[in-house]
Amino acid sequence: MVIFLVAPLVLGRYRLPGIVGIILVGAAIGPNGLYLLERDETIELLGEVGLIYLMFVAGLEINVNQFVEYRERSLLFGLASFLIPQVVATAVGVSVLGLELPSALLFAAIISSHTLLAYPVVNRLGIATNEAMTATIGGTIITDTFALLVLAVVVASVGGALEAAFWLQLAIGLTVFFVGIWLVVPRLGRWFFATVSEESYLEFLFVMAVLFGCAFLAELVGVEHIIGAFLAGLTLNRLIPETGPLMNRIEFVGNALFIPFFLLSVGMLVDVRVVLEGPATLVVAGSLLVTVVITKYAAAWLTGRVYDYDGDEVLAIFGLSVGQAAAALAIVQVGFDAGVPGFDGAMINGVVLMILVVSLFSPALVDRAGTAIATAREREAYDPSETPQRILVPVSPDSRYRESLLDLALTVRERRSEEPIHVTSVVRPEGLRHTEAAVARAEEFLEDLTTYASGAEVPIDAHTRVEHNVATGIVRSTVENRITTLVIGWDGAASRTQRVFGHVIDRVLTRTTKLTLVARVRRRLGTTERILLILPPAIQYNDGVAEALHTVKLVSEDTGAPVRGLVVDDGSADLEDVETLFDGVEPDVPGQFEAVDGWDGLESALRQQARPSDLLVCLSARRGDVGWHPELQTLPKRLSRLTDGNFVIAYPASEGQEDDRQFLQLQ
């Protein structure tokens, strides 16, 4: 624990990644150094858990929409990162080391795989959703799968068991594993998160059960547990919002405990004395180092050239993929135990020495290139000093879904914003004693919401107002706190004075000009499978529509739910204009649009297409604004009858946006 605390702090003073310090200290205090700590079964077990956890978090943090839309990039990089090292290193093994072809193939598999050793750096810099990083992380499952398949085939050939039954068993096992996990885990997760909500630690335990269950099943069918862990992360990705408390808990446990144990265990493998054991070890290590650097950079350069990545992205791809640890150790150890010719003590020591060098080189390179990527993104995409986003969530003591409403606010909050979420409760005065009791009750549940949001490490500014008119209290909070986004809950109930939602919400809408989200959120946002976006005629010409679409895309990005748009066609709808506007708003998430024939056509389409797992979002407009239509007054009530799921009515800001850099992508 002292090492995990001190090493990153000391290395940080010299602008080096903290994970390098843990690896170096592991080498210094391990059995090959000062021997202060034994690399026993406990260290090995926790190191394995750390590696599994690392791959799981990588799968969780991938932008699934981007991963699916650009899957050919992961495929290209994965194949290039496997084939180039595999071919070159096989030739090196035969010509330089004098290995036979099967042994040379296994020698090449050591470096054709890679371990995301520098992923903690990517995670810390917040660039895991960068397109180049997504391609690299996605390509990991391809490189490691093929490398471990080479291991299985070569070991089987040495044992003389390379028969049709071997190939059939391997193919069936892998197919059942991949298809089974991909079909079962999301359904199981969706059921669990929709059913169990009493204790947050149960959610964490469920995620851990899925993680280690998938890792175990992977080994059962003959592939490494890291493949199962990565697939578990991918399948749970859309169910665990990036901004939620659960994701924060998962990252916290990994970064504070399990992943450092993996880095420590890697460092404890290093034995600097191997350089004194003769030239054989140095020849193996040198061959591996030169080959892995040249071939992994070639794969990164090729991918960058094909998809027009800049120099920093290419270097980050190279730095992330050049890391070697788990798969390389597994391959050389299994080859040694199986008696593969040429896999002797010098081969093991050479691999360990190679791991030491790349363990120091990979994180430092990713830190340098990743910092440049993160700095460029901060400068281009979001400038909080210009137009800070401030969210207000009015809540009532009687609300049953106030935590779900806060989840929506966390989801639409800008990822790099430092502003707190403002939460207010308006209490009507009813005599001094009753008023004080009501205020105390409001403060109590506001404190509960503050505790809930602290799980996501998001600050909450909670305050209570005493006003005869609830709408007036909400509007005053909006003005006093310079709110830009208002998130209000609606239970769907009819009221005597209702025009659209009811007396309070209707009055707030008429007296504010900010982006307002009126939401009925009954189910966890993480269980959202798709966003159905409703666009009234001419809404694309509303001044605030870019900000509203940006907000919808934030929800899509956080939940991994694709957007399907229904454009109401009154005879003048221009589908191409809507698609162009949507594509031009950041972040980059996929969207498909279709025109429906008028309001009756919209209702018919919703009856046919809407599912309880959908999030319905309707872009509306205030009376007098561009895009307003009389049908919008009754649409919320009709939506509440059409679906039992979540829906949001989004009212774009009525005043012109002076700084669209928050919402529009820069070309």
Side-chain angles (χ1 to χ4, degrees):
M1 293 297 108
V2 173
I3 293 168
F4 298 164
L5 171 66
V6 175
L9 293 176
V10 173
L11 269 290
R13 294 177 63 90
Y14 299 98
R15 298 183 179 180
L16 292 173
I19 65 175
V20 173
I22 297 176
I23 294 171
L24 286 175
V25 174
I29 69 170
N32 300 315
L34 300 176
Y35 214 152
L36 301 178
L37 195 63
E38 179 72 57
R39 193 177 189 273
D40 57 10
E41 293 181 354
T42 302
I43 297 294
E44 291 180 5
L45 173 63
L46 291 173
E48 287 292 303
V49 171
L51 174 60
I52 293 172
Y53 211 96
L54 179 68
M55 294 299 298
F56 174 66
V57 172
L60 270 186
E61 293 195 336
I62 280 183
N63 186 323
V64 172
N65 286 330
Q66 194 177 68
F67 177 72
V68 172
E69 185 174 3
Y70 300 111
R71 54 190 176 274
E72 72 280 356
R73 305 189 179 202
S74 293
L75 180 62
L76 172 66
F77 173 73
L79 290 175
S81 190
F82 169 76
L83 289 175
I84 296 175
Q86 187 70 33
V87 172
V88 175
T90 299
V92 170
V94 172
S95 61
V96 177
L97 302 180
L99 300 174
E100 297 178 359
L101 183 59
S103 300
L105 287 170
L106 194 57
F107 172 79
I110 293 173
I111 62 169
S112 64
S113 66
H114 61 252
T115 300
L116 297 177
L117 198 64
Y119 184 78
V121 178
V122 172
N123 188 9
R124 174 175 58 82
L125 294 173
I127 58 173
T129 56
N130 175 273
E131 185 182 302
M133 296 298 93
T134 298
T136 309
I137 297 167
T140 300
I141 195 170
I142 297 172
T143 60
D144 285 3
T145 299
F146 280 124
L148 295 170
L149 285 177
V150 171
L151 170 64
V153 171
V154 171
V155 171
S157 69
V158 171
L162 201 59
E163 302 172 351
F166 166 79
W167 294 106
L168 183 63
Q169 179 182 354
L170 187 63
I172 293 176
L174 286 176
T175 302
V176 171
F177 170 70
F178 278 98
V179 174
I181 295 297
W182 200 259
L183 292 178
V184 173
V185 170
R187 287 172 171 79
L188 180 64
R190 196 167 287 110
W191 169 82
F192 182 88
F193 289 127
T195 305
V196 179
S197 58
E198 288 83 1
E199 298 289 348
S200 59
Y201 73 86
L202 292 177
E203 298 175 348
F204 181 81
L205 290 177
F206 169 77
V207 171
M208 293 299 99
V210 171
L211 163 60
F212 293 110
C214 290
F216 168 73
L217 291 175
E219 289 193 327
L220 209 60
V221 300
V223 296
E224 278 293 302
H225 45 52
I226 56 177
I227 305 299
F230 185 80
L231 193 60
L234 281 181
T235 53
L236 288 176
N237 184 291
R238 288 177 169 171
L239 298 174
I240 303 176
E242 182 186 352
T243 57
L246 179 57
M247 186 65 173
N248 185 61
R249 293 185 181 103
I250 292 170
E251 290 182 334
F252 175 82
V253 171
N255 294 332
L257 188 64
F258 291 136
I259 295 174
F261 266 112
F262 163 63
L263 301 171
L264 183 71
S265 68
V266 170
M268 294 175 74
L269 286 170
V270 175
D271 186 359
V272 295
R273 294 171 297 184
V274 298
V275 299
L276 304 176
E277 294 184 1
T281 295
L282 293 178
V283 170
V284 172
S287 300
L288 287 169
L289 277 171
V290 173
T291 307
V292 74
V293 169
I294 293 175
T295 56
K296 291 296 184 180
Y297 183 79
W301 178 85
L302 176 64
T303 305
R305 186 67 180 268
V306 172
Y307 295 114
D308 197 28
Y309 295 145
D310 62 31
D312 290 323
E313 290 174 321
V314 170
L315 284 178
I317 293 173
F318 168 56
L320 196 56
S321 62
V322 79
Q324 300 289 333
L329 286 172
I331 291 170
V332 71
Q333 188 66 54
V334 172
F336 176 80
D337 294 338
V340 176
F343 276 66
D344 50 16
M347 181 69 74
I348 293 178
N349 287 333
V351 170
V352 172
L353 193 57
M354 180 266 296
I355 288 174
L356 170 63
V357 176
V358 298
S359 295
L360 303 179
F361 168 73
S362 170
L365 182 60
V366 172
D367 185 72
R368 179 180 177 182
T371 300
I373 294 172
T375 302
R377 184 188 63 178
E378 291 280 348
R379 184 171 57 248
E380 293 179 1
Y382 178 59
D383 185 0
S385 64
E386 292 288 337
T387 312
Q389 181 204 40
R390 292 182 176 175
I391 300 174
L392 174 66
V393 184
V395 290
S396 165
D398 301 321
S399 173
R400 294 171 51 198
Y401 303 105
R402 50 179 178 262
E403 288 185 353
S404 298
L405 198 64
L406 188 57
D407 282 337
L408 177 60
L410 291 170
T411 301
V412 302
R413 182 175 181 261
E414 293 288 351
R415 303 295 179 262
R416 297 177 296 280
S417 174
E418 297 181 356
E419 293 285 338
I421 292 179
H422 298 262
V423 181
T424 187
S425 180
V426 181
V427 175
R428 288 191 175 98
E430 298 180 10
L432 181 60
R433 180 172 298 179
H434 288 89
T435 301
E436 289 182 348
V439 170
R441 181 187 174 201
E443 289 178 348
E444 184 177 348
F445 77 78
L446 288 177
E447 184 176 347
D448 291 340
L449 286 179
T450 302
T451 303
Y452 178 79
S454 68
E457 294 188 349
V458 174
I460 293 291
D461 185 356
H463 45 88
T464 305
R465 305 187 67 95
V466 178
E467 294 278 357
H468 287 281
N469 189 301
V470 175
T472 300
I474 295 173
V475 172
R476 285 183 176 175
S477 291
T478 302
V479 174
E480 292 168 359
N481 296 286
R482 294 188 295 148
I483 298 301
T484 62
T485 305
L486 196 57
V487 180
I488 304 179
W490 181 54
D491 57 10
S495 70
R496 182 174 55 84
T497 59
Q498 179 171 351
R499 293 178 58 191
V500 181
F501 298 101
H503 178 71
V504 173
I505 299 179
D506 287 348
R507 292 198 67 180
V508 169
L509 287 171
T510 59
R511 296 169 62 183
T512 60
T513 60
K514 305 301 180 181
L515 171 64
T516 303
L517 308 179
V518 182
R520 189 190 72 181
V521 185
R522 294 177 176 174
R523 302 170 183 261
R524 288 177 58 108
L525 283 175
T527 62
T528 302
E529 293 186 28
R530 180 181 61 172
I531 296 176
L532 276 180
L533 177 61
I534 302 168
L535 297 103
I539 193 67
Q540 64 268 29
Y541 305 116
N542 189 299
D543 285 340
V545 73
E547 181 186 15
L549 288 175
H550 169 71
T551 302
V552 174
K553 283 190 158 190
L554 287 177
V555 178
S556 174
E557 184 180 53
D558 198 54
T559 60
V563 177
R564 180 170 183 80
L566 301 176
V567 182
V568 180
D569 187 0
D570 62 350
S572 61
D574 192 331
L575 204 60
E576 186 175 345
D577 279 356
V578 173
E579 292 174 340
T580 301
L581 175 62
F582 183 85
D583 292 339
V585 174
E586 62 141 15
D588 187 17
V589 300
Q592 295 181 340
F593 292 85
E594 66 171 290
V596 294
D597 188 15
W599 296 99
D600 292 337
L602 171 65
E603 191 162 339
S604 176
L606 290 175
R607 292 185 186 279
Q608 295 175 10
Q609 300 184 30
R611 302 188 294 259
S613 58
D614 289 337
L615 171 64
L616 269 61
V617 180
C618 175
L619 296 191
S620 189
R622 295 171 172 84
R623 182 186 291 270
D625 288 348
V626 176
W628 184 83
H629 192 281
E631 290 284 344
L632 294 174
Q633 291 192 137
T634 58
L635 185 60
K637 194 62 182 177
R638 282 182 284 162
L639 288 179
S640 69
R641 292 193 296 262
L642 282 171
T643 179
D644 292 328
N646 301 329
F647 69 83
V648 176
I649 312 296
Y651 291 84
S654 299
E655 53 196 24
Q657 301 298 322
E658 296 179 0
D659 185 6
D660 276 345
R661 288 182 298 162
Q662 291 185 88
F663 322 121
L664 301 181
Q665 300 185 67
L666 299 179
Q667 301 298 327

